[in-house]
Amino acid sequence: MPADEKLAIDLLKELRDLTANELGAQRVAWTPTWLKAREWFRATLDGLPVEHHLDAAGNSWTTLPGRSPAALILGSHLDSVPNGGWLDGALGVIAAYVVLRRIASEFDGKPPVTIRLVDWADEEGARFGRSLFGSSAFAGTHTIEQDRGRLDANGIRLEDALAKCGISIDSIGNAQRERENAAAYLELHIEQGPVLERLALPLGVVLGTKGVERHAVTFHGQEAHSGSTPMKARHDALAAAAKLALEIRPIALRHSDAVCTMGSLKTYPGIVTAVVGRCETTLDQRDLDAGVLAEMYRSAQEKSHQFATEEGCTVEWSRIWNIAPEPFHPELIALCEEAARETAGTAHRLPSGPLHDAAEVSRSGIPTVMMFVQSLKGISHNKIEDTREEHLQLAVAAFDRLASKTMAWIAAHP
Ligand SMILES: [Zn+2]
């Protein structure tokens, strides 16, 4: 008996009705609406032979003990951004729930391996700017000292918001205990991009999450009067920046899935009658291959120096943030592809540009893979976020198959 795809969609709609207003989903972590969503989820467990608890970082764990303690973990996040969509995160949790129900009934409450469902706490970081909060505590990559004093828009400290939900920030590292016996992690998520829709494919097999190099790039020239300064005598910082803004496109296009974005640009003095003396830009570069990422970073640096020289300027780089690519487990990628093919007839392999909790789980050494389902128009973090219902049903069915294949894989790799 397969997982109940209809039930999954009904529950997603029920959750939407419970936690959205006319602007979209409002399940921001550490808020009453988020707690309400979690309470609702907790109630759906009634009658199932499972144990439920929150760990030290507020992650919600539901365990169906099996004959072996080796655990297959299925999960995602119930929290949303403000004015968010109905599927981001929720789909993965609800799909995991119907799969867990199917496994409990198929094996009379005692499957060959232990099945655990996790709803990660604060994936989005929408209120305090700290994404992947719960999964990083689980993985041991949390950053308590930097996060302790984070403030929300109303000046409330993260530490205090956590305390209100019964979490002590100093103890969140204890969530690492949940890694015991973890044998594999699977996550179903909407793509949040346009790739699958453009290929007219419902399902994607995620190869991993892209690494990110994020830098502030500032060009220094010379402020000068726009009327009196001849063209050849200028040190125009904007001209140098503009050349780089165009050059990052060929730098990215040399690689099939790489992306480079200059997302912000400020000019000084920023008035109509002055040549730009200083131009501050930001550059965000991403790829799944660490070598490609390093090469793109090097190329952008070289070109920025070349353009600065051409325009009589100098350039200065400073790193804002970076994270290494996290490739998923090759054998689980193969199982995910099989499951997608058997369910939908086709599957497409792609990397994930956005980060996900799965990246933290994988970084902690637990074999991990994600499955994507098509997003309409590639839109997410918005109330118009949507996926065709027949695709949601295919996704739940394929994820269910993947869970069975992974249980067998765990049993064969004691
Ligand atoms: Zn998400």
Side-chain angles (χ1 to χ4, degrees), residues 77 88-89 123-124 189 192 356:
H77 58 96
D88 179 359
E123 190 269 352
E124 301 284 2
H189 206 282
Q192 304 177 283
H356 289 287

Side-chain angles (χ1 to χ4, degrees), residues 73-361:
I73 306 174
L74 313 171
S76 196
H77 58 96
L78 283 182
D79 72 303
S80 75
V81 295
N83 309 327
W86 69 302
L87 298 171
D88 179 359
L91 172 64
V93 173
I94 300 303
Y97 169 78
V98 297
V99 169
L100 179 128
R101 273 184 79 108
R102 185 273 294 175
I103 293 170
S105 94
E106 180 175 335
F107 295 97
D108 254 334
K110 206 74 186 167
V113 302
T114 296
I115 308 294
R116 304 191 75 196
L117 187 162
V118 62
D119 161 25
W120 300 109
D122 202 356
E123 190 269 352
E124 301 284 2
R127 185 168 160 199
F128 292 97
R130 201 319 177 184
S131 302
L132 311 181
F133 177 88
S135 53
S136 67
F138 168 86
T141 54
H142 57 79
T143 46
I144 295 171
E145 287 319 315
Q146 291 102 292
D147 295 337
R148 174 189 306 280
R150 283 177 180 271
L151 302 176
D152 72 3
N154 297 315
I156 295 170
R157 293 192 315 160
L158 173 61
E159 182 168 3
D160 298 333
L162 294 182
K164 272 212 159 140
C165 297
I167 307 296
S168 155
I169 196 162
D170 290 302
S171 310
I172 62 170
N174 292 339
Q176 290 177 78
R177 287 184 195 147
E178 306 292 338
R179 297 214 305 258
E180 195 186 359
N181 294 319
Y185 175 73
L186 308 175
E187 181 168 349
L188 173 65
H189 206 282
I190 51 168
E191 184 202 337
Q192 304 177 283
V195 174
L196 293 172
E197 188 179 45
R198 283 174 157 216
L199 295 167
L201 295 175
L203 302 177
V205 179
V206 186
L207 298 169
T209 55
K210 290 179 180 180
V212 183
E213 281 287 355
R214 192 172 293 166
H215 293 262
V217 186
T218 302
F219 291 88
H220 298 277
Q222 177 62 59
E223 283 176 30
H225 193 286
S226 66
S228 62
T229 316
M231 297 309 287
K232 289 203 166 140
R234 295 182 177 206
H235 305 278
D236 186 341
L238 175 58
K243 286 181 172 176
L244 184 64
L246 297 179
E247 186 66 25
I248 60 169
R249 297 188 293 187
I251 287 174
L253 286 167
R254 287 203 289 274
H255 313 284
S256 59
D257 290 313
V259 287
C260 294
T261 306
M262 193 180 271
S264 115
L265 185 148
K266 283 185 208 145
T267 59
Y268 298 89
I271 56 171
V272 71
T273 53
V275 176
V276 173
R278 184 166 98 249
C279 185
E280 298 176 355
T281 71
T282 58
L283 181 60
D284 178 287
Q285 301 181 292
R286 303 184 189 218
D287 196 73
L288 184 59
D289 183 305
V292 166
L293 191 58
E295 189 277 321
M296 293 200 304
Y297 172 37
R298 213 168 37 239
S299 297
Q301 276 192 313
E302 272 168 28
K303 286 292 181 183
S304 73
H305 286 285
Q306 178 193 322
F307 299 144
T309 305
E310 286 171 10
E311 299 300 328
C313 300
T314 58
V315 63
E316 177 193 0
W317 283 66
S318 96
R319 178 174 274 137
I320 298 171
W321 181 70
N322 72 331
I323 192 165
E326 187 58 39
F328 291 150
H329 193 281
E331 290 176 34
L332 294 189
I333 288 172
L335 295 184
C336 186
E337 179 151 23
E338 268 178 39
R341 269 187 206 292
E342 288 166 13
T343 312
T346 57
H348 178 69
R349 293 181 170 220
L350 76 170
S352 171
L355 285 166
H356 289 287
D357 293 309
E360 291 290 351
V361 179

